[in-house]
């Protein structure tokens, strides 16, 4: 996790060609607990996200995005807020015409007090999606992501896996 934070910080702050912005999004996610061939899925949880974004051009067809985001949701009437650091590569299909395929990894962690013997506070995820740059300043995004690390705490045996997946849409504004 420290390496991802350091890499994001370096890309975010030291690149003189970066384009900075803000983002707002809406997403829905679902947790799944499995052991062997048996599994149970939780109810879908929806929420909003806000974030700071740094867009870093690599070439006309490839750009990187990183930043810091905060998610706000309610689960059974209780707050379930989180923060995250994404690292996303955008591949433009026809130069920089606006339409792009997005893919990347990220780390997120809950800001709530949880029993870490039952569930870990943070997790790594990977996502894939599509985006469209409406103008130089506005972009729309849609991404499906799936957790790649196990969130089961030390209370559970090694066969228990707790993972989540979700879908989100967003609007980005670049200054």
């Amino acid at each position: 996790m420290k390496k991802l934070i350091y890499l994001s910080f370096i890309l975010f702050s030291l690149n003189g060609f970066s384009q900075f912005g803000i983002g707002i999004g809406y997403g829905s996610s679902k947790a799944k607990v499995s052991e062997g061939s048996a599994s149970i899925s939780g109810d879908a949880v929806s929420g909003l996200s806000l974030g700071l974004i740094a867009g870093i051009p690599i070439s006309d067809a490839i750009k990187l995005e990183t930043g810091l985001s905060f998610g706000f949701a309610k689960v059974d009437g209780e707050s379930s807020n989180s923060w995250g650091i994404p690292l996303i590569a955008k591949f433009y299909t026809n130069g920089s015409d606006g339409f792009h395929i997005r893919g990347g990894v990220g780390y997120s962690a809950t800001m709530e007090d949880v029993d870490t013997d039952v569930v870990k506070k943070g997790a790594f995820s990977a996502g894939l999606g599509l985006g469209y740059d409406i103008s130089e300043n506005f972009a729309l995004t849609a991404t499906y992501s799936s957790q790649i690390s196990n969130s089961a705490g030390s209370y559970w045996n090694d066969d228990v896996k707790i993972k989540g997946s979700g879908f989100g849409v967003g609007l980005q504004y670049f200054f």
Side-chain angles (χ1 to χ4, degrees):
M1 178 183 94
K2 286 182 183 180
K3 291 179 184 179
L4 182 62
I5 291 172
Y6 292 143
L7 178 61
S8 295
F9 176 76
I10 289 169
L11 291 174
F12 188 81
S13 63
L14 300 179
N15 189 316
F17 300 103
S18 294
Q19 186 178 17
F20 297 98
I22 56 174
I24 185 168
Y26 174 80
S28 181
S29 61
K30 185 181 272 197
K32 180 179 176 182
V33 179
S34 61
E35 181 177 21
S37 62
S39 67
I40 300 171
S41 292
D43 293 334
V45 175
S46 299
L48 296 174
S49 65
L50 297 170
L52 302 172
I53 307 164
I56 303 149
I58 303 299
S59 69
D60 284 343
I62 300 173
K63 294 181 182 174
L64 294 178
E65 277 185 6
T66 189
L68 178 62
S69 65
F70 296 94
F72 308 96
K74 293 264 187 193
V75 177
D76 296 329
E78 299 288 325
S79 293
S80 182
N81 302 327
S82 62
W83 61 270
I85 300 173
L87 182 56
I88 299 165
K90 297 173 20 175
F91 302 97
Y92 287 83
T93 57
N94 189 18
S96 58
D97 69 349
F99 181 77
H100 57 273
I101 298 170
R102 313 167 53 80
V105 296
Y107 179 82
S108 62
T110 182
M111 294 189 304
E112 306 306 323
D113 187 26
V114 296
D115 184 351
T116 55
D117 288 336
V118 176
V119 64
K120 296 176 184 171
K121 284 189 81 89
F124 286 95
S125 62
L128 188 61
L130 301 173
Y132 184 73
D133 296 346
I134 299 168
S135 68
E136 189 175 303
N137 299 95
F138 286 99
L140 292 172
T141 64
T143 305
Y144 173 80
S145 63
S146 184
Q147 192 174 321
I148 55 178
S149 62
N150 186 5
S151 288
S154 60
Y155 173 82
W156 305 104
N157 66 40
D158 291 339
D159 294 336
V160 174
K161 307 284 187 242
I162 301 174
K163 295 189 175 185
S165 60
F167 177 78
V169 294
L171 175 65
Q172 299 174 326
Y173 175 75
F174 292 94
F175 305 109

